[in-house]
Amino acid sequence: MKVEKENLIQFVNIVNDCCAVMDDDHVAEWLTKPNSDLNMEAPVGLVNTQAGREKILRLLYFIDIGEADL
């Protein structure tokens, strides 16, 4: 999946949010691996839409508070 150039800033923000809730070494794998909490889509595949970014941020919130697994 390719991040469209107009979404690069949002993508960087999501990467930073990932780094805040998980080890930096795990971020790339988490972003590119299909996730059961995202209907088996990889988070990077959702970055190009506002709705997709909201799903990622909501999942990161639940990971941060311990309500969802990595």
Side-chain angles (χ1 to χ4, degrees), residues 7 10 46-58:
N7 296 314
Q10 292 92 339
L46 301 173
V47 169
N48 290 316
T49 67
Q50 180 65 33
R53 291 188 297 271
E54 289 172 4
K55 287 178 184 180
I56 295 167
L57 293 174
R58 190 170 31 248

Side-chain angles (χ1 to χ4, degrees), residues 19-34:
C19 291
V21 300
M22 63 186 79
D23 291 335
D24 294 356
D25 295 342
H26 193 65
V27 173
E29 179 185 348
W30 187 84
L31 284 169
T32 57
K33 181 178 162 188

Side-chain angles (χ1 to χ4, degrees), residues 30 33 35-43 46 52 55-56 59:
W30 187 84
K33 181 178 162 188
N35 189 302
S36 60
D37 292 316
L38 298 172
N39 295 323
M40 295 312 293
E41 289 193 60
L46 301 173
K55 287 178 184 180
I56 295 167
L59 178 55

